[in-house]
Amino acid sequence: MILERLAVGPLKVNCFIVACPETLEAAVIDPGDEGPRILDLARSRGLNVRMVINTHGHFDHIGANRYLVGQTGAELLLHRDDLPLFDKADEHAATFGFKTEPSPQPNRLLEGGETLNLGKLEILVLATPGHSPGGISLYASSHVFTGDALFAQSIGRTDLPGGDLDQLLGAIRDKLLVLPDETLVHPGHGPDSTIGREKVLNPFLR
């Protein structure tokens, strides 16, 4: 799997580009801002962006959706339970003193359990709600992209609209901690980790 990472926008959201090394078909995960920079990196690697996937609908994870979809014609994917949050992203941003570019509507609403195909690369959609009602994680080739569900030695905040601590802890336990210990964890903010490290070191999971 081809993997590139950029920290974008004022909140330093981790945006990931993943691609099939044979077909060079790519997905952009959580393009929170700086659309031209993201697309320039993808094109410098010869990648064809086929999908834009939001792990959840918060403003800091969707700000470059419009640019990337407009420039590439990529399919936009979001879990259906985050659509109300997604549609009010500008209001949410304003409460924190930020502005965000309005996103086009998703082409496909996810449920969790789907397998997305990029050439020969398979991406499994894991429903990991709790930080938001429709939060998802994406598992591919011994990597899991956890959005704002699981961080290195932390978890997503649950005091925002639609947050639920018990739901989040349950999702982490049932969907993420069952992955192999060597699975690399790529969160929506901050450094990477592994599932095995989080089992041992994450104080929220004890």
Side-chain angles (χ1 to χ4, degrees):
M1 182 176 74
I2 296 170
L3 173 60
E4 299 285 352
R5 165 180 167 172
L6 307 87
V8 298
L11 298 182
K12 298 300 180 185
V13 170
N14 289 329
C15 171
F16 299 95
I17 304 170
V18 298
C20 170
E22 294 187 32
T23 66
L24 302 182
E25 294 181 6
V28 177
I29 301 169
D30 287 346
D33 202 349
E34 301 181 60
R37 180 178 166 221
I38 297 167
L39 188 56
D40 284 350
L41 177 57
R43 287 177 171 167
S44 75
R45 296 294 306 270
L47 304 179
N48 184 3
V49 177
R50 296 286 193 182
M51 299 179 190
V52 173
I53 310 171
N54 298 140
T55 61
H56 59 293
H58 286 153
F59 72 92
D60 54 325
H61 289 252
I62 70 171
N65 281 359
R66 179 172 296 277
Y67 180 85
L68 288 173
V69 170
Q71 292 292 315
T72 67
E75 184 179 26
L76 180 59
L77 293 81
L78 176 80
H79 193 285
R80 68 171 58 254
D81 290 345
D82 254 26
L83 192 57
L85 192 67
F86 178 90
D87 287 340
K88 294 185 177 180
D90 55 343
E91 297 177 22
H92 184 213
T95 65
F96 289 91
F98 295 105
K99 293 182 179 180
T100 191
E101 180 74 14
S103 174
Q105 287 295 297
N107 303 99
R108 194 185 336 175
L109 294 174
L110 302 169
E111 302 280 356
E114 299 92 342
T115 298
L116 310 175
N117 294 292
L118 288 169
K120 295 183 178 180
L121 178 65
E122 294 186 342
I123 303 173
L124 178 61
V125 179
L126 306 173
T128 50
H131 174 66
S132 67
I136 60 171
S137 297
L138 301 163
Y139 179 61
S141 299
S142 299
H143 298 254
V144 65
F145 303 88
T146 56
D148 286 2
L150 178 64
F151 300 119
Q153 299 182 46
S154 190
I155 61 172
R157 59 187 295 182
T158 56
D159 59 336
L160 300 172
D164 185 312
L165 178 59
D166 290 338
Q167 188 180 44
L168 179 58
L169 291 173
I172 292 171
R173 180 189 65 239
D174 296 341
K175 300 295 179 63
L176 299 179
L177 298 188
V178 298
L179 299 174
D181 283 355
E182 63 271 19
T183 303
L184 289 168
V185 175
H186 304 290
H189 303 267
D192 292 343
S193 186
T194 67
I195 291 295
R197 188 178 300 142
E198 292 313 299
K199 286 180 178 178
V200 174
L201 298 178
N202 195 314
F204 295 92
L205 306 181
R206 293 172 185 164

